[in-house]
Amino acid sequence: MKGGSGGGGGVAPAKRRWRGLAIAVLFLVVLSMLVPLGFLLGLHSGFHSAGHIPLQRPSPSGDRSSHIDNLVRKLGPTLPKDVLKGFVNEAKNETSSINATPRTEQKKGIPIPPQVVMQPFTSKNISRINGKAKMKSDVDESEGFCDLKYGSYCIWREENREEMQDSMVKKLKDQLFVARAYFPSIAKIPAQSKLSGELKQNIQEVEHVLSESTTDADLPPEIQKKSRRMEAVIARAKSVSLDCNNVDKKLRQIFDLTEDEANFHMKQSAFLYQLAVQTMPKSLHCLSMRLTVEYFRDHLFDKELSEKYSDPTLQHYVIFSNNVIASSVVINSTVVHARDTVNQVFHVLTDWQNYYAMKHWFLRNTFRDAVVQVLNIEDSDSYGKATLSHLTLPVEFRVSFPSNDSAPAIHNRTQYVSIFSHSHYLLPEIFKNLEKVVVLDDDVVVQQDLSALWSLNMGGKVTGAIEICSVKMDQLQSYLGEHSFQKHSCSWMSGLNVIDLARWRDLDISETYWKLVKEHLWQQFFTPLECRNEQVSMKEGSALLATLLSFQDQIYALDRVWVLSGLGHDYGLDIEGIKKAAVLHYNGNMKPWLDLGIPKYKEYWKKFLNHEDQYLSECNVNR
């Protein structure tokens, strides 16, 4: 027995040595395979294909799905789509076998018509280097495209942008964005059915809350608990190993839907902005209707001072307007700053719709010793040939062109050029006994005495106006076409115009104007549609062209201290310059009587309103 035992004890150590040797060899073989495989995997992580975002596997240390966290953080709904495109295409070498490509394509450059509005130079986009004004290099190109597409709406939107105050609502929207991205991938895993149900329930609860609440004040009291539950379930979803491609596709879908929704709201906002600009506010419509009704109810005595209305020795001011408040502010501001008002006569030319409202307003309101005559320009029985089918107000054109040939589109300069309308060419016929008048637009405010204009020697010119030498005739050629302009001459503005009616009649300016209008309309009628300027109607285009040609060489340049323009579109005007100007011209879309008016300029207009008037209070005009 002892011998047998001794033999068995000698064999066992030999077997153990052989077994250890085999394990060591096997370990070396496995190690020799893992090292090249690990090297190859390392290279692959450095050269992932474009269109697919690499996703790291979860690590035992708890840092799980960190790449998805970064992706979700970078692809939030506040970022432009170009960020997603640049993040996905970070690899330098793209292959032709890519299946997923970004949806947004590079947009081709488009020509900018001269009347397209661009952002004017303001203190926000101009920096000063060595005492010289210079444009900032980091101008947002997306804002430039917005200006191209939506015009002055984008300027108003940028200046009236409000900071996000409702932080909890924003947080819930971000959580909902992330939860929707993870839910489809979690729902496909059978083992995660419980987590999928919790995720779905939290998504529905947050959607319900956001459908009823738009501000933090509207949120229910238990919203903090809902937010914490949503945050916890999102954290659990992130800890699950997911397919990178599924999350990537869902993120793209949600991002595309968010971008489409943002574009829709942008277009809707731009439309509502244009609607607010082009329509009369409810308060002003209310005032006009109330005054019309009261005119026929009260039967106020109409004091017709015909001897003053036609006396050529007096100072006659003419206003074309269909806005009771606007014309009243013009007259009131002129009278307040006048040294002597006994010689002042104001003629307000309006239409049938506003005639009786105007009559009643100026009968019940006095302006020191000045007198006001209200005329209906559509009354053919009173004025015969000197009538139009409807009143036309001064026409405004947005003109935009680059500062220099190399400047990008977002650096374009913008001017609002206002000119005479068809109604202005009836002045010599309506005021046959007058030799000189001063025409004021209804969007001006007078801040100084204007009596010096009546002693102005214009050297035989028909009208005195403010010239805009930043807009030359040759810069308008693309819009006006080839005509016999003095190309380097300056354009001019309505707003404040001194008109020599006697000289006007001698040169027969009105007849020249109507001939040019008919000629231009006839030419436009036979112009192919693809060659026409789509931004401006044929009627407006004919008015601009005919006016510039009719008054060529007949403009006397007024000193620029008389008028400061731009208060209806330019946020960057100097306050000291505003205070020193004799006349403020609110040319542009943002008129002072509109809610869209530039707030810091409204005070110069509002102080000439009669805030104690009963009708203004009842129609809420004083707000």
Side-chain angles (χ1 to χ4, degrees):
M1 294 293 292
K2 286 181 180 180
S5 299
V11 175
K15 289 183 178 181
R16 283 196 296 271
R17 285 194 298 270
W18 178 84
R19 185 177 303 165
L21 182 61
I23 292 175
V25 171
L26 182 61
F27 176 77
L28 290 174
V29 172
V30 174
L31 184 61
S32 65
M33 296 176 63
L34 289 177
V35 171
L37 181 60
F39 179 75
L40 291 175
L41 291 175
L43 285 179
H44 176 73
S45 65
F47 295 96
H48 54 274
S49 60
H52 298 277
I53 303 176
L55 180 64
Q56 297 178 357
R57 305 301 298 175
S59 61
S61 61
D63 183 16
R64 310 172 72 89
S65 302
S66 60
H67 200 72
I68 291 184
D69 297 341
N70 294 333
L71 175 63
V72 172
R73 187 165 56 254
K74 289 185 177 182
L75 301 184
T78 59
L79 295 180
K81 197 167 183 179
D82 293 340
V83 175
L84 175 60
K85 182 176 180 181
F87 182 73
V88 173
N89 296 324
E90 63 182 7
K92 295 182 179 179
N93 300 325
E94 298 184 355
T95 63
S96 59
S97 60
I98 298 172
N99 293 324
T101 57
R103 192 172 68 96
T104 303
E105 299 179 354
Q106 183 69 25
K107 298 184 181 294
K108 298 180 178 180
I110 56 175
I112 306 173
Q115 68 282 359
V116 175
V117 174
M118 298 301 299
Q119 185 173 357
F121 294 115
T122 65
S123 57
K124 288 195 172 185
N125 57 16
I126 296 181
S127 62
R128 291 196 172 270
I129 300 176
N130 298 328
K132 295 181 179 180
K134 183 178 181 180
M135 293 300 301
K136 291 183 178 179
S137 59
D138 57 348
V139 178
D140 188 358
E141 293 185 2
S142 62
E143 284 298 324
F145 179 75
C146 175
D147 290 339
L148 281 172
K149 189 171 183 181
Y150 297 114
S152 58
Y153 157 73
C154 299
I155 304 174
W156 175 86
R157 184 196 63 168
E158 182 62 27
E159 295 296 334
N160 291 271
R161 192 186 300 274
E162 297 180 358
E163 296 293 335
M164 174 62 73
Q165 302 294 334
D166 302 303
S167 57
M168 179 54 69
V169 171
K170 185 176 184 298
K171 181 180 179 182
L172 291 174
K173 290 181 179 180
D174 292 341
Q175 290 179 341
L176 186 61
F177 183 87
V178 177
R180 286 171 173 172
Y182 278 97
F183 175 73
S185 300
I186 298 293
K188 293 180 180 179
I189 304 176
Q192 300 295 336
S193 58
K194 182 178 179 181
L195 176 60
S196 174
E198 293 180 8
L199 195 60
K200 181 178 181 180
Q201 181 180 356
N202 281 272
I203 290 174
Q204 291 175 346
E205 290 180 358
V206 173
E207 286 177 341
H208 178 70
V209 170
L210 293 177
S211 67
E212 298 181 347
S213 306
T214 57
T215 63
D216 285 356
D218 300 332
L219 295 173
E222 66 277 4
I223 192 60
Q224 292 288 349
K225 295 181 179 179
K226 292 181 181 293
S227 178
R228 286 194 292 269
R229 286 200 302 268
M230 173 66 91
E231 188 174 354
V233 75
I234 289 176
R236 290 171 55 193
K238 291 180 179 181
S239 65
V240 178
S241 299
L242 300 174
D243 184 4
C244 156
N245 294 331
N246 291 336
V247 178
D248 174 44
K249 290 178 182 179
K250 189 59 182 177
L251 282 171
R252 290 174 184 275
Q253 292 175 3
I254 297 176
F255 192 84
D256 289 343
L257 290 174
T258 304
E259 185 184 49
D260 292 342
E261 184 178 0
N263 289 335
F264 167 76
H265 287 297
M266 174 71 79
K267 293 178 181 178
Q268 186 181 55
S269 299
F271 170 76
L272 294 176
Y273 168 83
Q274 293 296 333
L275 187 64
V277 165
Q278 298 174 8
T279 57
M280 179 178 290
K282 182 179 179 180
S283 57
L284 298 186
H285 180 73
C286 164
L287 177 64
S288 180
M289 295 298 100
R290 286 293 307 275
L291 291 172
T292 302
V293 172
E294 293 299 325
Y295 175 83
F296 291 101
R297 178 181 298 173
D298 291 350
H299 300 290
L300 290 175
F301 180 69
D302 193 350
K303 299 179 181 179
E304 288 290 346
L305 304 177
S306 56
E307 65 281 358
K308 274 197 169 186
Y309 294 159
S310 58
D311 188 350
T313 62
L314 302 180
Q315 299 175 3
H316 294 266
Y317 296 88
V318 178
I319 303 170
F320 293 88
S321 179
N322 57 6
N323 188 326
V324 176
I325 288 299
S327 56
S328 178
V329 167
V330 175
I331 296 175
N332 192 27
S333 63
T334 305
V335 169
V336 165
H337 294 98
R339 297 189 185 95
D340 183 14
T341 60
V342 176
N343 296 326
Q344 288 186 330
V345 181
F346 293 89
H347 307 271
V348 181
L349 276 66
T350 186
D351 54 12
W352 269 118
Q353 183 176 350
N354 298 279
Y355 174 69
Y356 297 106
M358 291 275 193
K359 290 278 287 186
H360 189 72
W361 176 265
F362 289 112
L363 285 173
R364 66 189 303 271
N365 289 278
T366 58
F367 301 91
R368 295 175 63 182
D369 295 325
V371 296
V372 181
Q373 179 189 25
V374 180
L375 301 175
N376 177 15
I377 202 171
E378 299 173 2
D379 186 3
S380 58
D381 295 335
S382 299
Y383 305 109
K385 291 173 57 179
T387 57
L388 291 173
S389 59
H390 62 279
L391 173 71
T392 56
L393 301 178
V395 184
E396 289 188 344
F397 294 88
R398 297 193 306 268
V399 181
S400 180
F401 41 82
S403 303
N404 53 66
D405 295 337
S406 60
I410 55 176
H411 294 176
N412 282 14
R413 293 186 294 110
T414 298
Q415 293 281 355
Y416 278 72
V417 180
S418 60
I419 63 166
F420 288 169
S421 68
H422 294 329
S423 299
H424 286 71
Y425 294 89
L426 303 180
L427 289 174
E429 291 294 325
I430 295 177
F431 303 104
K432 295 181 179 181
N433 297 326
L434 303 182
E435 296 182 354
K436 192 174 187 178
V437 295
V438 172
V439 179
L440 299 172
D441 288 356
D442 64 355
D443 58 351
V444 304
V445 170
V446 179
Q447 297 189 125
Q448 296 179 18
D449 181 44
L450 301 181
S451 59
L453 294 174
W454 298 97
S455 59
L456 192 66
N457 182 10
M458 296 192 298
K461 303 294 184 180
V462 175
T463 180
I466 297 296
E467 288 189 334
I468 311 175
C469 290
S470 59
V471 181
K472 300 292 184 65
M473 294 301 180
D474 57 345
Q475 293 172 317
L476 298 175
Q477 284 296 322
S478 60
Y479 174 72
L480 299 175
E482 295 296 333
H483 291 279
S484 56
F485 285 113
Q486 295 178 0
K487 295 187 176 181
H488 297 289
S489 60
C490 302
S491 59
W492 55 278
M493 292 267 290
S494 67
L496 170 66
N497 300 97
V498 183
I499 297 180
D500 185 344
L501 291 179
R503 183 64 175 162
W504 184 311
R505 296 186 187 97
D506 292 340
L507 297 177
D508 206 357
I509 297 293
S510 297
E511 185 66 23
T512 302
Y513 173 80
W514 292 117
K515 286 181 178 179
L516 289 170
V517 168
K518 293 179 181 178
E519 178 183 347
H520 185 259
L521 289 175
W522 186 258
Q523 291 176 353
Q524 287 291 316
F525 182 78
F526 289 100
T527 301
L529 291 176
E530 62 272 12
C531 298
R532 295 181 187 175
N533 194 315
E534 299 178 358
Q535 299 293 329
V536 179
S537 68
M538 294 169 58
K539 184 177 180 180
E540 293 173 341
S542 64
L544 175 60
L545 176 63
T547 295
L548 294 178
L549 288 174
S550 298
F551 285 97
Q552 191 167 222
D553 299 326
Q554 295 300 325
I555 301 297
Y556 174 81
L558 296 177
D559 196 318
R560 296 192 62 84
V561 298
W562 280 106
V563 181
L564 177 64
S565 302
L567 280 79
H569 71 93
D570 190 351
Y571 285 84
L573 295 178
D574 180 42
I575 299 299
E576 291 300 321
I578 293 176
K579 294 178 180 179
K580 294 178 180 179
V583 176
L584 302 179
H585 190 189
Y586 289 80
N587 60 314
N589 283 337
M590 304 175 195
K591 302 299 184 185
W593 54 84
L594 299 176
D595 292 336
L596 298 176
I598 301 176
K600 62 181 179 180
Y601 302 151
K602 278 187 174 183
E603 59 182 274
Y604 302 102
W605 185 84
K606 281 188 173 182
K607 65 183 179 180
F608 295 106
L609 288 175
N610 181 9
H611 298 282
E612 298 179 356
D613 188 87
Q614 174 187 354
Y615 295 141
L616 296 187
S617 300
E618 292 178 355
C619 291
N620 201 23
V621 178
N622 287 324
R623 60 187 177 89

